[in-house]
């Protein structure tokens, strides 16, 4: 969806490096999410935020941290990247609890 | 608890029908369906809520069996554009809107 942007779209980094993935949305939604997608495993929730002061761990938060800089911006950081964090990362946003989630175009991250 | 999606893969000819399923061992509050084409982001199809409410595209048909904690997506008169991977995301009662997604079903529609 053009209302959700993710940067970078592709990134290759080395083991041990710190990397930040950024997500920005223009829909004005309070709820934002970070997922990772691995082949055959579906989408797994890393972190989520229901407003600027609210940050919650998902099912696979180890090795990741997030920052909600504003209603529109939600960043994901890998403090010390490792090869098994190689994946496709999506951010999403949502207006309310029973509304659709709008996904960004994804960031393909490779850790060598 | 990750929901189980079945079958794992479906191959259809244009115009044929298919049913894909999503099951959970936990009591659910809602089921969401998304379709993802290769290299693209997942796109919303349908939300089914406990109690019978549905939100989604008019051309998509789905059901939610609250007794069995199972949802089915009905794809009728399939078109080439239906090809992709279908994910269900389930929200358990009291889960504060978090969705747990299944592994996905790959559906291919051939001419």
């Amino acid at each position: 969806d053009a209302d959700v942007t993710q940067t970078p779209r592709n990134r290759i980094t080395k083991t041990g490096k710190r990397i930040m993935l950024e997500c920005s949305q223009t829909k004005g939604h309070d709820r934002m999410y970070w997922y990772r997608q691995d082949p055959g495993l579906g989408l797994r929730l890393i972190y989520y935020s229901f407003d600027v002061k609210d940050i919650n761990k998902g099912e696979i938060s180890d090795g990741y941290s997030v920052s909600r800089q504003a209603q529109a911006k939600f960043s994901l950081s890998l403090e010390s990247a490792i090869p098994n964090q190689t994946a496709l990362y999506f951010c999403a946003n949502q207006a309310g609890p029973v509304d659709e989630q709008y996904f960004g175009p994804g960031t393909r991250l490779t850790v060598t | 608890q990750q929901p189980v999606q079945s079958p794992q893969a479906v191959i259809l000819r244009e115009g044929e029908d298919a049913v894909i399923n999503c099951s959970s061992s936990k009591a659910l509050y809602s089921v969401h369906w998304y379709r993802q084409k290769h290299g693209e982001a997942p796109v919303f199809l349908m939300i089914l809520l406990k109690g019978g409410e549905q939100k989604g595209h008019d051309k998509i048909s789905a059901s939610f069996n609250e007794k069995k904690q199972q949802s089915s997506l009905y794809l009728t008169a399939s078109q080439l554009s239906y090809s992709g991977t279908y994910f269900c995301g389930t929200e358990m009662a009291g889960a504060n809107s978090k969705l747990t997604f299944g592994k996905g079903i790959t559906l291919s529609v051939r001419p």
Side-chain angles (χ1 to χ4, degrees):
Chain A
D1 191 301
D3 298 318
V4 188
T5 57
Q6 289 186 237
T7 56
R9 294 293 311 280
N10 289 281
R11 180 72 181 266
I12 300 174
T13 192
K14 294 186 182 296
T15 298
K17 293 290 188 182
R18 184 179 189 276
I19 183 168
M20 178 182 288
L21 309 182
E22 298 186 330
C23 175
S24 182
Q25 51 107 354
T26 59
K27 287 195 165 288
H29 293 163
D30 286 327
R31 296 166 174 253
M32 297 189 75
Y33 304 83
W34 274 105
Y35 295 94
R36 70 176 275 177
Q37 185 175 32
D38 300 275
L41 295 182
L43 295 156
R44 292 183 291 167
L45 183 63
I46 307 172
Y47 270 95
Y48 62 104
S49 169
F50 287 166
D51 66 43
V52 175
K53 296 181 180 180
D54 176 73
I55 302 289
N56 303 281
K57 292 182 178 180
E59 58 186 297
I60 55 163
S61 59
D62 287 348
Y64 302 94
S65 62
V66 291
S67 172
R68 185 80 184 267
Q69 300 96 321
Q71 184 196 45
K73 296 183 183 296
F74 193 34
S75 300
L76 177 72
S77 293
L78 287 69
E79 297 300 326
S80 179
I82 56 177
N84 78 357
Q85 291 178 314
T86 293
L88 182 58
Y89 290 84
F90 287 103
C91 75
N93 63 82
Q94 184 185 36
V98 289
D99 293 308
E100 65 180 282
Q101 292 191 16
Y102 295 87
F103 286 81
T107 293
R108 187 167 296 282
L109 177 67
T110 302
V111 184
T112 61
Chain B
Q1 291 280 359
Q2 188 174 38
V4 177
Q5 293 191 244
S6 63
Q8 285 190 319
V10 179
I11 299 175
L12 299 172
R13 294 240 178 241
E14 266 188 297
E16 291 182 339
D17 302 337
V19 180
I20 57 178
N21 303 299
C22 175
S23 298
S24 175
S25 59
K26 300 289 187 181
L28 299 177
Y29 177 72
S30 69
V31 180
H32 297 221
W33 286 96
Y34 290 80
R35 178 172 61 214
Q36 183 181 32
K37 293 186 177 292
H38 184 69
E40 298 181 7
V43 174
F44 169 76
L45 296 175
M46 175 76 73
I47 297 173
L48 302 104
L49 298 167
K50 183 179 178 180
E53 184 180 353
Q54 296 187 1
K55 300 171 69 172
H57 298 287
D58 292 341
K59 293 185 178 180
I60 299 291
S61 175
S63 65
F64 179 21
N65 185 321
E66 294 176 35
K67 289 184 179 179
K68 293 184 177 180
Q69 305 304 325
Q70 179 176 319
S71 178
S72 297
L73 192 68
Y74 304 95
L75 303 166
T76 57
S78 59
Q79 304 171 18
L80 296 176
S81 62
Y82 287 10
S83 295
T85 301
Y86 288 75
F87 293 100
C88 68
T90 54
E91 178 191 358
M92 289 187 287
N96 199 19
S97 307
K98 287 187 304 179
L99 294 182
T100 302
F101 284 92
K103 294 182 179 181
I105 294 170
T106 301
L107 186 137
S108 300
V109 181
R110 298 180 177 176

